[in-house]
Amino acid sequence: MSFINEASWDRIARVVLGAGLIFLGFSGTIEGGFGTFLGILGFVPLITGLVGWCPLYAIFNYRTNNEVTKETAGI
Amino acid sequence: MSDLAEYTRPTLIEVMAPHCVECRAMRPDLDAVAAQNADSVDLVVLDATEDMDRVAPLKVLGTPTLIAVSNGVEVARFTGRRSRSELSELFAAVAVGSADTIPSTSREDRIVWGAGGLLLAGAGLLSGPAWILVVLGVGLAGYASLRSVAG
C-alpha cells in the first residue's frame, strides 16, 4: 500500500525485536517496573512491523523501502 | 462497474498514483510480466490522480491496486505491492480466468504476520504462560494462514 514506509527486512527486524522485548518484559527475565515497561514497549515495534508503517519515519519523511525506487524514479 | 464491460479480453487493471512509492517499486516487474503475457492478458494502467472518472467507480481504497477482470466482470482485487513471481502467478491465473484463486494478501504481509504471530505466541508461552499473548499470537498466525487462501 502507498502508506508503507518500511522495507521487508525492517518489518521482520521490528517483529523480532518486539517479540523479544515482550518476552523479556513479561517472562520475568527483567523484573520490576522496568521489565513491565519493556514488555509494553515491545508492542510498538511489533505493531509497526506488522503494519509496515512507522509514524516516526513519516514525521521525518524517511523510509527504508526506497532502495528500488531510486532506480525507477520516473514512471 | 460500468466501465469494466468494455474489457472483453482477460484484463488486469492497475490503479496507481505518481506519488506512490510502492507503485514505482512494482513498475519494472509489472511491465516486464505484462510484456511476457501481452498475448493473453491486457494491462490497463489508471492514474488515480488523472483518470478520476474511470477510477472513482472502481472504489479503490489504496494504491497500487490490481483488479482482475474476466468477461467484463471484476473477479478479484489485490492491493499492495507484489513481487515479480507473484505477478507472474497472477497474470497466469487471469489468463485462464482463475484469478479468484490467488490470495488477496501479499506474500510479504503473510510472512510478517505469520512470523509475528508465532513469535508472540512463543513469547507468551515462555512468559508464564501469558495466555493473552498466546491467544493474540495464535490469532495473528491463524489470520495470516487464512489470508493465504484466496478470497
Side-chain angles (χ1 to χ4, degrees), chain A residues 1-2 8 11 15 50 65, chain B residues 22 24 63 79 108-109 113 116:
Chain A
M1 292 281 279
S2 52
S8 304
R11 296 181 67 181
V15 166
L50 291 174
N65 65 342
Chain B
E22 297 280 292
R24 294 203 297 265
T63 55
T79 304
E108 178 181 316
D109 279 344
W113 295 347

Side-chain angles (χ1 to χ4, degrees), chain B residues 105-118:
Chain B
T105 305
S106 72
R107 190 174 294 143
E108 178 181 316
D109 279 344
R110 284 181 273 135
I111 289 172
V112 171
W113 295 347
L118 292 176

